[in-house]
Amino acid sequence: MSIAESLKQVQNELPEGVRLVAVSKFHPNEAIEEAYRAGQRVFGENKVQEMTAKYESLPKDIEWHFIGHLQTNKIKYIIPYVTLIHGIDSYKLLAEVNKQAEKAGRTVNCLLQLHIAREDTKFGFSFDECRGMLASGEWKQFHNIRICGLMGMATNTDNAEQIKMEFCSLSKFFREVKDEWFSESEAFKELSMGMSHDYREAIAAGSTLIRIGSKIFGERNY
Ligand SMILES: *Cc1c(COP(=O)(O)O)cnc(C)c1O
């Protein structure tokens, strides 16, 4: 199947209120251009250098979402153009994004990443760490970031029940955080969860942003 066909297939499955981030990491500009011609405008990347090179050479109406683990010393390179940073996994990172955004005169959209998988290798706050961070209130002094919601990755497993449970736990936590800290915020509305192998479970659990790579662009050659 071509990229355009795979893209259409995924898009046809999306209920209202769910948007697709086409994860183009490790794929060349030609692949992104094909998806772009088919109407896709939101792309996700997980390496600062790669995303910046693609931003510079591709059409300027593309929305670039950073979905990887962001190192503090590299934040400044994406600040001028990034649309949404999905993986804020520490207070320190949030503070640093705010600082760089302030320098650049921008307000940058961010999602807090929660660790919901069984694997230790994945990044993110635990629910309690996130509650503690929000309760401290220090983030309220950051005027150059906008917290738009939460992001998480389920365990990489074939066990659909496990995946469902993890997504539902994040969805429940989203409502808790929304009610407690962001009930007045129009911006706080995104729940980024679901990848090629588990996006259907994620949508059923309330995802608003699915991040799909291999199902659209084919396998990646690392
Ligand atoms: C690579 C990646 C994806 C896309 O994964 P696929 O299995 O190729 O759909 C989604 N989210 C994050 C954070 C990723 O790093």
Side-chain angles (χ1 to χ4, degrees), residues 140-153:
K140 290 182 186 163
Q141 62 182 325
F142 297 151
H143 297 297
N144 293 77
I145 49 130
R146 190 179 293 118
I147 300 178
C148 297
L150 307 179
M151 178 266 201
M153 290 167 89

Side-chain angles (χ1 to χ4, degrees), residues 88-153:
I88 300 290
D89 57 5
S90 69
Y91 175 78
K92 183 174 163 246
L93 184 58
L94 191 67
E96 196 60 31
V97 169
N98 181 67
K99 185 172 147 192
Q100 296 298 333
E102 191 176 351
K103 268 193 196 168
R106 277 202 80 196
T107 301
V108 172
N109 298 322
C110 297
L111 303 179
L112 303 177
Q113 182 171 358
L114 276 300
H115 186 279
I116 55 170
R118 283 190 176 158
E119 296 119 320
D120 295 335
T121 49
K122 299 203 163 123
F123 293 100
F125 293 98
S126 69
F127 291 156
D128 274 342
E129 283 165 352
C130 189
R131 285 183 186 108
M133 200 269 286
L134 292 169
S136 82
E138 287 171 51
W139 53 277
K140 290 182 186 163
Q141 62 182 325
F142 297 151
H143 297 297
N144 293 77
I145 49 130
R146 190 179 293 118
I147 300 178
C148 297
L150 307 179
M151 178 266 201
M153 290 167 89

Side-chain angles (χ1 to χ4, degrees), residues 23 25 46 67 151 153 195-197 211-214 220:
V23 177
K25 63 190 187 194
N46 71 344
I67 61 167
M151 178 266 201
M153 290 167 89
M195 304 166 46
S196 291
H197 68 282
R211 311 176 310 269
I212 309 266
S214 45
R220 294 176 287 272

Side-chain angles (χ1 to χ4, degrees), residues 21-27 44-46 66-69 86 113 151-153 192 194-199 210-220 222:
V21 180
V23 177
S24 47
K25 63 190 187 194
F26 298 98
H27 292 285
E45 291 281 338
N46 71 344
F66 192 79
I67 61 167
H69 182 63
H86 287 235
Q113 182 171 358
M151 178 266 201
M153 290 167 89
S192 167
M195 304 166 46
S196 291
H197 68 282
D198 58 16
Y199 69 93
I210 57 170
R211 311 176 310 269
I212 309 266
S214 45
K215 195 178 162 72
I216 295 169
F217 295 107
E219 292 305 319
R220 294 176 287 272
Y222 289 94

Side-chain angles (χ1 to χ4, degrees), residues 46-48 51 66-79 82 85-90 93 97 110 113 123:
N46 71 344
K47 296 272 185 299
V48 166
M51 184 163 93
F66 192 79
I67 61 167
H69 182 63
L70 185 55
Q71 291 169 283
T72 48
N73 61 331
K74 294 191 177 160
I75 297 167
K76 59 176 179 285
Y77 301 110
I78 64 169
I79 289 293
V82 71
I85 299 175
H86 287 235
I88 300 290
D89 57 5
S90 69
L93 184 58
V97 169
C110 297
Q113 182 171 358
F123 293 100

Side-chain angles (χ1 to χ4, degrees), residues 37-78:
R37 282 193 299 274
Q40 182 66 24
R41 290 295 179 272
V42 183
F43 292 90
E45 291 281 338
N46 71 344
K47 296 272 185 299
V48 166
Q49 232 179 338
E50 184 176 346
M51 184 163 93
T52 303
K54 286 171 172 171
Y55 160 73
E56 282 168 359
S57 54
L58 287 163
K60 289 295 175 284
D61 62 342
I62 288 178
E63 276 191 23
W64 293 101
H65 288 210
F66 192 79
I67 61 167
H69 182 63
L70 185 55
Q71 291 169 283
T72 48
N73 61 331
K74 294 191 177 160
I75 297 167
K76 59 176 179 285
Y77 301 110
I78 64 169

